[in-house]
Amino acid sequence: ITQYRSKKVRYQYKLEGIDKNWSIPSYSAEASFGNIPPGEYVLLLQAISSAGISSGIYRYSFTIRPPWWQTTWAYSLYLLGFTFSLFSFIRLRTANLRTRQKQLEAKIEDATRVIRKQKDEVEKQRDQINEAKKRSDELLENILPADIAAELKAKGVVKPVFREGVSVLFTDFVGFTGLAEKMSPEDLVSLINRYFTGFDEIVSRFGVEKIKTIGDSYMLVAGVPNAVEHHAALAAETGLAMLSFVRNLNQELKDSGFPLLELRMGIHSGPAVAGIVGLKKFQYDIWGDTVNTASRMESYGEAGRINISEQTFDLLKNQIPCEYRGEMEVKGKGKVKMYFIRSPKQY
């Protein structure tokens, strides 16, 4: 194309794959292109004389190489960098997750420890409450009859009851007041406790109800809180067992240095009212003239024997042998017929 260069020669070009049409004929012998993608190209050139004669088409092949950042090895580096970054991210993420997991496990362990401690404390408190309740129930049942204790726990109050027929028994140790003045408090309590402990066992065995002790006096009743048909016989059999216990215990204490106590007993049968009095230190008690008369029977009795009223005798005469004592003047009662129950040694 150089041989045609002159001011009257025009030039045209076309880059295959880039240009669709030939360029406008120009007197400039230079062609410039920008932003050509990498690849194989063919540049078509022709010169046109002033007379309009074409030099023919010349073909010039050339190659545009990609920049270094678009080369294969650059992409390999990119891939390697991406892989490394992804691996590092995953590893860091995994490490963070493990750290968070450990922190969470530590928190869960701490929370579990706290919950377990609280649970142990609650169970301990519950056990203490249950134990206290158990002791309270046992104490209440020791103080009150079982049915009465159950009613008190369930309702908070106990309804008094009237019984048409009960038998009240009183005991007393002969000469105990004078004896107590000569003994130390420890020996006195130890001695009386041995007798009363035996009485408590007998009362429990026969199913009668201990009401209370007053000094050396022991009071029980048959027929409350639950009505009993043969209450007089039950009270009499309990009294005979108590006399037998005293005789046996005195035999054991014969050489101990302790004084031997003799028991005086009295029984009367009749109506009575039973219930609980007081707001603190509950006391199950019975009231009525039957109680007063039973106390009189004990006072007018004799050591080692059970003195009973005529009313009790009428209930026992066909069951337990008795002997008539006669009429005795009783304070506040006038003349009262009395009887002794004959012990098993006497019949």
Side-chain angles (χ1 to χ4, degrees):
I1 255 190
T2 310
Q3 61 180 321
Y4 292 102
R5 289 191 67 175
S6 79
K7 294 182 179 180
K8 295 182 180 181
V9 177
R10 293 174 297 168
Y11 304 95
Q12 276 186 306
Y13 59 87
K14 177 182 178 183
L15 184 60
E16 288 185 343
I18 298 298
D19 296 329
K20 294 182 178 180
N21 302 311
W22 286 86
S23 65
I24 298 173
S26 172
Y27 291 107
S28 174
E30 296 179 356
S32 61
F33 300 91
N35 297 324
I36 300 176
E40 301 290 334
Y41 294 96
V42 176
L43 181 62
L44 304 179
L45 301 171
Q46 68 176 348
I48 304 172
S49 68
S50 59
I53 299 172
S54 174
S55 64
I57 297 175
Y58 290 86
R59 304 174 66 87
Y60 175 71
S61 299
F62 63 94
T63 300
I64 301 294
R65 297 186 180 278
W68 66 269
W69 60 83
Q70 292 182 349
T71 58
T72 302
W73 63 268
Y75 285 121
S76 298
L77 289 176
Y78 299 156
L79 180 60
L80 182 61
F82 174 76
T83 303
F84 178 77
S85 299
L86 181 60
F87 176 76
S88 299
F89 173 78
I90 294 174
R91 189 171 182 181
L92 180 61
R93 181 67 174 171
T94 302
N96 290 337
L97 289 176
R98 287 177 180 172
T99 300
R100 291 182 60 186
Q101 182 180 3
K102 289 181 179 179
Q103 292 174 346
L104 183 60
E105 289 175 351
K107 290 181 179 179
I108 293 174
E109 186 176 352
D110 291 342
T112 303
R113 191 180 299 110
V114 171
I115 292 173
R116 188 180 295 114
K117 183 178 180 181
Q118 292 175 344
K119 180 182 177 183
D120 292 341
E121 290 177 353
V122 170
E123 290 180 351
K124 184 178 179 181
Q125 291 175 355
R126 183 174 58 192
D127 291 341
Q128 291 174 345
I129 292 172
N130 290 337
E131 183 63 26
K133 184 178 182 297
K134 181 180 177 181
R135 290 197 300 268
S136 175
D137 290 345
E138 290 175 350
L139 181 61
L140 194 62
E141 290 174 1
N142 282 335
I143 296 174
L144 304 175
D147 293 345
I148 299 301
E151 183 179 354
L152 182 62
K153 287 188 290 183
K155 300 179 180 179
V157 295
V158 175
K159 184 179 180 180
V161 296
F162 172 77
R163 293 283 181 256
E164 187 67 37
V166 302
S167 291
V168 180
L169 182 150
F170 276 92
T171 74
D172 191 55
F173 289 110
V174 179
F176 184 82
T177 302
L179 183 65
E181 295 175 355
K182 302 176 183 179
M183 297 180 66
S184 68
E186 293 80 4
D187 289 342
L188 180 65
V189 172
S190 175
L191 181 63
I192 196 72
N193 183 64
R194 294 193 66 175
Y195 286 95
F196 281 177
T197 298
F199 292 172
D200 287 346
E201 190 279 328
I202 293 170
V203 164
S204 177
R205 175 154 45 96
F206 280 87
V208 295
E209 194 62 46
K210 173 186 177 181
I211 298 300
K212 56 189 171 183
T213 61
I214 305 173
D216 63 316
S217 178
Y218 193 102
M219 175 185 176
L220 63 87
V221 60
V224 293
N226 299 315
V228 179
E229 182 180 358
H230 301 293
H231 52 85
L234 191 58
E237 290 172 355
T238 303
L240 289 172
M242 293 168 77
L243 284 176
S244 177
F245 169 78
V246 169
R247 285 194 296 268
N248 293 335
L249 181 58
N250 284 344
Q251 191 65 32
E252 292 180 18
L253 297 174
K254 192 173 183 180
D255 300 323
S256 66
F258 281 105
L260 305 182
L261 301 181
E262 292 295 333
L263 194 63
R264 185 173 60 214
M265 307 178 72
I267 301 175
H268 177 64
S269 303
V273 174
I276 289 181
V277 293
L279 296 175
K280 295 183 178 180
K281 297 183 179 180
F282 295 114
Q283 174 68 53
Y284 186 72
D285 210 342
I286 58 174
W287 300 273
D289 185 64
T290 298
V291 178
N292 297 328
T293 304
S295 179
R296 296 285 190 275
M297 291 300 103
E298 178 272 315
S299 299
Y300 285 83
E302 294 180 3
R305 309 202 73 176
I306 303 176
N307 187 39
I308 63 175
S309 65
E310 184 177 18
Q311 288 84 346
T312 302
F313 170 75
D314 289 340
L315 297 173
L316 291 179
K317 59 186 176 182
N318 296 324
Q319 303 177 60
I320 297 176
C322 301
E323 61 183 63
Y324 181 58
R325 295 183 62 190
E327 290 185 334
M328 301 185 69
E329 187 72 27
V330 176
K331 182 179 179 180
K333 299 288 183 181
K335 291 187 176 294
V336 177
K337 291 182 179 181
M338 298 185 190
Y339 299 77
F340 278 136
I341 294 177
R342 296 175 63 186
S343 68
K345 288 187 175 182
Q346 297 170 317
Y347 63 86

